[in-house]
Structure formats: structure tokens, C-alpha cells
Amino acid sequence: MFAMMKELPLSKVYQFIEPGPVVLLTTQVPGTKPNVMTMSWLMMLEFEPPLIACVVAEGNYSFAALQKQHKCVIAVPPANLAKIVTDIGNCTGGDTDKFGSFDLTPLPASQVEAPLIGEAIVNLECRVKDSQMVKAYNLFVLECVKAWETPKLKDAPMLHHHGYGHFSVDGERIHIKSKMR
Ligand SMILES: Cc1cc2nc3c(=O)[nH]c(=O)nc-3n(C[C@H](O)[C@H](O)[C@H](O)COP(=O)(O)O)c2cc1C
């Protein structure tokens, strides 16, 4: 079951990546089924347009898709999807139809072929902006070209990875007056 999404201003994208959540990365190579992988190695590089650096290991099915298609979606899942998020990161699109196997809803994106995930807190449509560090570090620089949020999940806790199936889940949020946006 998923709730309605509305467009999220690109200027707000960083607010969802800066806390370093575990995300799902979807890809879609034409003529093949869409795929999704779990990813926690990512960081913000710029506010707007939002630039996100991420590491996708060379052996992953998603790596080949990103290299071929240069487009993807980063979806931030709520913490209650921890089991699915872990299972998705423990199998490969090379031999598994993950959208067919896991209870996630692929939805059409507007700028990229890769699907949005209906159950996500936010969905970020991205294109590969810079592949210069792929060879050395498997590091892709992505530019978010369109972003979507699910208002009903605005305060949903996110997952943070500590290795080998250990996660922390967001706790209470606090607000301190700050000049830093
Ligand atoms: C919590 C978690 C975090 C992960 N983070 C990353 C990551 O940042 N980069 C990466 O390449 N693989 C990461 N993985 C592993 C991939 O999700 C895994 O290799 C997956 O099978 C790749 O799927 P694919 O072959 O369909 O692309 C992570 C797995 C888990 C469970």
C-alpha cells in the first residue's frame, strides 16, 4: 500500500540525504526488467542542483545498468522496510526479479526510465553527471533532476547502516536556531 506523492522542490533534496540514510537505487535498462539495490555509501556534494556522490560496486548488476543508462532513482525507504531493504541488498538483479519478488510498488518517473518506489519517503530522479572517479573508486556523481516526496511519510524514521545487518533508526528530531540551511 502506498500514499500519494507530490513534487518536492529541488532545493530541499539535501535535507533527505544529509542524514546519510540507507537508500534504494533503481535502474532500468530498456528491454529488461527494472532493478533495485540497497545502498548506504552516499553523500551530498551540492545544494542545487542537488549533487550526490555514491559508490556502486563494479560486480553489481546496478553498476552495469548505471554505466549503460546513466540514469537512476534514489528512493529513501522508511525504517519499517528494514527487512525488505536488507533482502534486496542480499540478492542480485542478475538472477532475481526484485520488483517481482519483494513487496514494493514501481511507479513511472518523469525524467528517467528507472522506476520510483511507491513506499518511499522521497524519490530522487537522477542522471549520472560525472563518471571520472568510477574507474578508481566505483564512485558516481549523480545530479538530481526531479524529486518527489510522500507527505504522509514526512516524519517517518529512516535507516542508518552499521554493517552486517545492524541498523539504527532515527529517533526524536530536535530543532536549534541555525544560519546553516
Ligand atoms: C544495508 C546495505 C547497504 C549496502 N550498501 C551498498 C553500497 O553503498 N554500495 C554497493 O555497491 N553495495 C551496497 N550494498 C550491497 C548491494 O545492495 C548488493 O551487492 C546487491 O546485491 C546489489 O544488487 P544488484 O546486483 O541487483 O545491483 C549494500 C547492502 C546492504 C544490505
Side-chain angles (χ1 to χ4, degrees):
M1 221 9 219
F2 60 90
M4 208 180 69
M5 271 181 235
K6 68 171 193 176
E7 187 168 356
L8 172 73
L10 295 181
S11 61
K12 291 191 172 172
V13 164
Y14 83 95
Q15 296 175 358
F16 291 87
I17 295 299
E18 196 166 295
V22 178
V23 302
L24 296 171
L25 180 126
T26 79
T27 45
Q28 165 83 74
V29 175
T32 65
K33 293 205 161 112
N35 189 43
V36 53
M37 75 162 243
T38 304
M39 183 170 77
S40 54
W41 285 16
L42 74 166
M43 67 176 285
M44 287 303 305
L45 297 180
E46 183 52 275
F47 282 111
E48 198 172 352
L51 298 182
I52 299 162
C54 63
V55 173
V56 179
E58 193 178 351
N60 291 350
Y61 191 76
S62 306
F63 179 93
L66 258 187
Q67 285 283 61
K68 198 166 192 171
Q69 202 62 17
H70 306 289
K71 307 253 179 68
C72 63
V73 167
I74 290 181
V76 181
N80 61 9
L81 294 185
K83 171 81 170 87
I84 289 182
V85 166
T86 304
D87 290 346
I88 283 173
N90 283 286
C91 65
T92 177
D95 58 22
T96 307
D97 169 10
K98 297 199 208 177
F99 277 102
S101 309
F102 298 104
D103 201 12
L104 292 177
T105 311
L107 297 174
S110 77
Q111 310 287 314
V112 305
E113 297 78 5
L116 311 178
I117 293 181
E119 292 76 8
I121 301 169
V122 291
N123 279 283
L124 313 178
E125 300 185 29
C126 297
R127 68 176 186 92
V128 175
K129 178 168 170 72
D130 191 341
S131 312
Q132 282 185 77
M133 286 198 279
V134 170
K135 199 161 175 242
Y137 304 110
N138 295 335
L139 189 147
F140 293 83
V141 176
L142 306 177
E143 176 182 346
C144 175
V145 292
K146 194 89 177 171
W148 305 93
E149 65 179 330
T150 304
K152 201 179 155 192
L153 296 177
K154 187 167 73 69
D155 296 322
M158 302 177 205
L159 283 170
H160 305 271
H161 191 222
H162 301 284
Y164 300 105
H166 294 275
F167 298 92
S168 55
V169 174
D170 288 336
E172 183 194 0
R173 290 191 193 184
I174 59 168
H175 177 248
I176 312 290
K177 251 190 196 168
S178 168
K179 287 182 180 154
M180 179 69 199
R181 69 165 157 148

